[in-house]
Amino acid sequence: DAGITQSPRHKVTETGTPVTLRCHQTENHRYMYWYRQDPGHGLRLIHYSYGVKDTDKGEVSDGYSVSRSKTEDFLLTLESATSSQTSVYFCAISDVFSETEAFFGQGTRLTVV
Amino acid sequence: DAKTTQPPSMDCAEGRAANLPCNHSTISGNEYVYWYRQIHSQGPQYIIHGLKNNETNEMASLIITEDRKSSTLILPHATLRDTAVYYCIATSGSRLTFGEGTQLTVNP
């Protein structure tokens, strides 16, 4: 299995509080991604990174920010959590895109109450 | 990225081949077709990808039509553990855009 770890795996937080999710990889892959998945739906891309300090928005980036200060870590921050951000969050990594696959973490289940 | 269309659900008998179709009629020449699956609530798992030619690996075969407007993922001998949501994705860039996928249920 690819070395990708998400933390925490589960979190309950209150509306309006900041929350940071961490994705850590040991594969030295260039690309890192954050997705969210809501019940009965496919994954939607929040933000992604194509290198240290290089990030870009995905299709559902509002209310989220990211940072990547080193190759192995990609942080997702909810500045002020809302109930609509209750979801399962997946991190993914990939290297040379068309030549290799993306590897996904096990997910973080976030509940905003 | 080209839009992909998949049936929402399919059933297959254990031990038989599962053939999952995907339509990507607007695919461009440099877009690859990727297949991933998601078992229960785990992170998606890569299965196979291709550009023009048919591909086979230890998990599955990918058949892409000559005009590249559709493809079929084949699981040659489906087992109960193959029950999952299967996603077909067409992309040329560094991002994977997931649709709703096909829920494949393998029955005993």
Side-chain angles (χ1 to χ4, degrees):
Chain A
D1 289 345
I4 176 169
T5 305
Q6 292 185 229
S7 59
R9 293 290 313 278
H10 301 271
K11 185 171 182 66
V12 179
T13 191
E14 293 185 350
T15 299
T17 59
V19 177
T20 295
L21 308 183
R22 181 184 185 227
C23 179
H24 178 77
Q25 62 149 327
T26 58
E27 304 295 326
N28 200 36
H29 281 358
R30 177 183 177 187
Y31 298 96
M32 298 186 75
Y33 311 81
W34 277 108
Y35 288 87
R36 63 176 287 176
Q37 185 172 33
D38 300 306
H41 294 280
L43 284 74
R44 291 184 291 170
L45 182 64
I46 305 171
H47 282 280
Y48 68 104
S49 169
Y50 45 95
V52 174
K53 297 193 189 316
D54 291 324
T55 65
D56 205 349
K57 297 178 179 180
E59 56 184 310
V60 290
S61 59
D62 287 349
Y64 302 94
S65 62
V66 290
S67 66
R68 191 171 179 197
S69 59
K70 46 186 178 178
T71 300
E72 58 265 36
D73 288 325
F74 192 34
L75 304 180
L76 175 72
T77 298
L78 290 65
E79 304 289 349
S80 177
T82 68
S83 58
S84 64
Q85 293 176 311
T86 292
S87 189
V88 179
Y89 291 85
F90 289 101
C91 175
I93 62 173
S94 67
D95 205 6
V96 182
F97 190 72
S98 63
E99 298 178 14
T100 63
E101 65 265 39
F103 298 95
F104 285 78
Q106 289 304 301
T108 294
R109 184 173 297 275
L110 176 68
T111 302
V112 183
V113 297
Chain B
D1 296 347
K3 178 178 170 57
T4 60
T5 303
Q6 301 176 250
S9 63
M10 294 184 65
D11 285 282
C12 177
E14 188 177 20
R16 305 297 293 270
N19 296 281
L20 291 87
C22 180
N23 180 284
H24 32 78
S25 59
T26 62
I27 196 169
S28 60
N30 63 343
E31 288 185 307
Y32 286 76
V33 178
Y34 285 80
W35 283 84
Y36 283 77
R37 72 181 183 183
Q38 187 174 28
I39 297 173
H40 198 45
S41 299
Q42 300 176 18
Q45 174 192 25
Y46 168 83
I47 302 173
I48 198 167
H49 77 285
L51 182 62
K52 295 181 183 178
N53 301 321
N54 298 337
E55 302 288 343
T56 295
N57 62 21
E58 65 277 5
M59 289 183 67
S61 294
L62 173 61
I63 308 298
I64 302 174
T65 57
E66 194 169 342
D67 63 9
R68 301 207 332 118
K69 293 185 176 182
S70 65
S71 61
T72 300
L73 177 74
I74 301 172
L75 307 179
H77 305 287
T79 71
L80 300 179
R81 290 178 296 178
D82 291 322
T83 292
V85 178
Y86 288 76
Y87 296 100
C88 168
I89 300 165
T91 183
S92 62
S94 57
R95 310 175 351 162
L96 296 171
T97 301
F98 289 79
E100 301 298 319
T102 296
Q103 170 67 58
L104 174 69
T105 302
V106 181
N107 301 304

